[in-house]
Amino acid sequence: MSVPRSSVAVPFALAFVAALGLSACGGGGGVHGKPGAAGVRDPYFPKMGNGGYDVSHYGLTLSYDSKARHLVGTAEITARATQGLSAFDLDLKGLDVSGVTVEGKKARWNRAGQELTVRPHDDLDKGETFRATVRYSGTPETITDPDTSEEGWLRTADGALALGEPTGSMAWFPGNHHPSDKASYDVRITVPEGLTAVSNGELTSETTSGGRTTFAWHTAEPMASYVATLAIGRYDITRTTTKNGLPVYVAVDPTQSAASKKVLAKIPEIMDWEEYNFGPYPFSSTGAVVDRPKDAGYALETQTRPVFPGAPDTGTLVHELAHQWYGDSVTPTSWRDMWLNEGFATYAEWLWQEDHDGYTADEIFDSLYKGDYYDDPAQNKAIWAFPPAKPSSAAHISDSPVYERGAMVLHKIRRTVGDDTFYDIIQGWAATHRHANADTADFTAYVEKKAPGKDFSEIWKDWLYGDGKPAHP
């Protein structure tokens, strides 16, 4: 990588730059701040995220050559300093940085692993709002997670698919990539004419010139970077609305259109059902992206527009749309709190079955406890591998205890408080922490506050935090 250096060969200046460990791209102001932390000490991904600032907006201007697999990007990041800052870090894996400015002035910067460290020309005061601009390019990477799943920038048959849970977003844009820092987004992406580029939020413009088409997407509501997405390829586009007038934007790979048509037509019905059960929808549009089955190994609740590898079944569609409340709007404070995403979305599937002539939630719970829910005994046993609120490692934050046993915790609460109070709890939880972050301690405190006459100690001790299979179902 070629890193810009000062053209003035002054030994003292070079020694000063070397001591900083930063590439010289401009002068420095008076020192009154300190470097922000590289990482927020997440229990499973300690290097993700950064300290010292809070992002409010990402403005991404991107151009992608699908044949050369080459991405050119400019990221304008608006943030507020939460301390006096002499330097701050951004998460960015791979890609070549050609320049960084802060408040329009060239900034020194250097790379170390996934850390892009930036030293502004002038130190930033605590409380100061600033704009950092990063220019970069290259072939974005595919990242393999601790659980061996792939994310980041996934090459597809006719383009690319960007997925971010838990660390993949740093493969295509620099940022504060931890769920605890949410922001609004504007994504402007130019691709070869004939391809479509789909992202989160609403499409605000589409223009074609010189054989290339630019799509501009706007996400007004706060979004964690792990649910930001970008899908580039040939898609059949359908635009509809729910009965409440909510825009529905669906993009389907043509090879999946026939298989997807019937289930995707249920989106308005599912959205109405989920609003009735979970409360007002927290975003200004909804929809889906359906790519080919081999493009990704999993569905993901990308905000307003979940991504599916091939035509989803109804249960999976219910699950990913439920995440818009639980995970996307109410976002976990750390990756330890994944069960607040997956337990809720899994329980939404149970409730859908219960309301649509399938198994009741009681029947599903009892079958899981008895160990005859799955045909494979190993799957039934896996539910008890660890407590949902304490995954054993980063490789297991998406394992069965987080999903099924997390849903069982919610059903235990429902059995304890009754349906009326239970629905008050799940709707109130979504409303109280709308567009914010929350953790397991916040949830247990909220439940106890909503049902002060009930004893939840056994549920918390044995079902949420306890090792092994609880003695009493």
Side-chain angles (χ1 to χ4, degrees), residues 43-241:
Y44 300 108
F45 299 93
K47 293 181 180 180
M48 296 307 298
N50 301 284
Y53 65 95
D54 180 74
V55 178
S56 59
H57 183 73
Y58 290 96
L60 306 179
T61 302
L62 309 171
S63 179
Y64 188 61
D65 184 332
S66 53
K67 290 183 178 179
R69 301 178 61 195
H70 189 75
L71 179 72
V72 177
T74 299
E76 292 188 348
I77 302 165
T78 304
R80 181 180 61 85
T82 57
Q83 65 175 62
L85 283 174
S86 60
F88 60 89
D89 280 23
L90 297 166
D91 301 311
L92 181 65
K93 186 171 176 61
L95 300 173
D96 298 319
V97 174
S98 58
V100 182
T101 62
V102 178
E103 287 298 282
K105 297 180 180 179
K106 287 185 178 180
R108 300 185 181 102
W109 56 271
N110 82 313
R111 305 289 299 276
Q114 69 185 48
E115 301 296 329
L116 169 61
T117 303
V118 178
R119 182 182 175 90
H121 182 278
D122 303 303
D123 283 9
L124 301 168
D125 294 325
K126 181 179 179 179
E128 180 179 352
T129 297
F130 64 94
R131 178 174 292 182
T133 302
V134 181
R135 293 178 296 280
Y136 59 98
S137 62
T139 301
E141 295 184 13
T142 298
I143 296 172
T144 301
D145 272 348
D147 68 359
T148 72
S149 62
E150 292 186 335
E151 61 189 69
W153 194 265
L154 307 178
R155 187 179 185 183
T156 63
D158 53 4
L161 177 62
L163 299 177
E165 186 178 282
T167 68
S169 294
M170 65 179 174
W172 61 285
F173 69 97
N176 197 20
H177 291 306
H178 188 264
S180 59
D181 193 359
K182 301 167 73 171
S184 60
Y185 281 70
D186 281 288
V187 178
R188 187 176 178 85
I189 169 70
T190 301
V191 297
E193 185 177 0
L195 299 185
T196 300
V198 184
S199 190
N200 313 85
E202 289 76 57
L203 180 65
T204 59
S205 69
E206 177 183 339
T207 56
T208 298
S209 177
R212 293 179 68 77
T213 304
T214 299
F215 298 83
W217 292 87
H218 176 65
T219 299
E221 301 91 356
M223 179 166 70
S225 66
Y226 82 89
V227 286
T229 193
L230 185 58
I232 300 168
R234 300 186 187 278
Y235 293 104
D236 292 333
I237 305 299
T238 303
R239 294 179 176 90
T240 56
T241 61

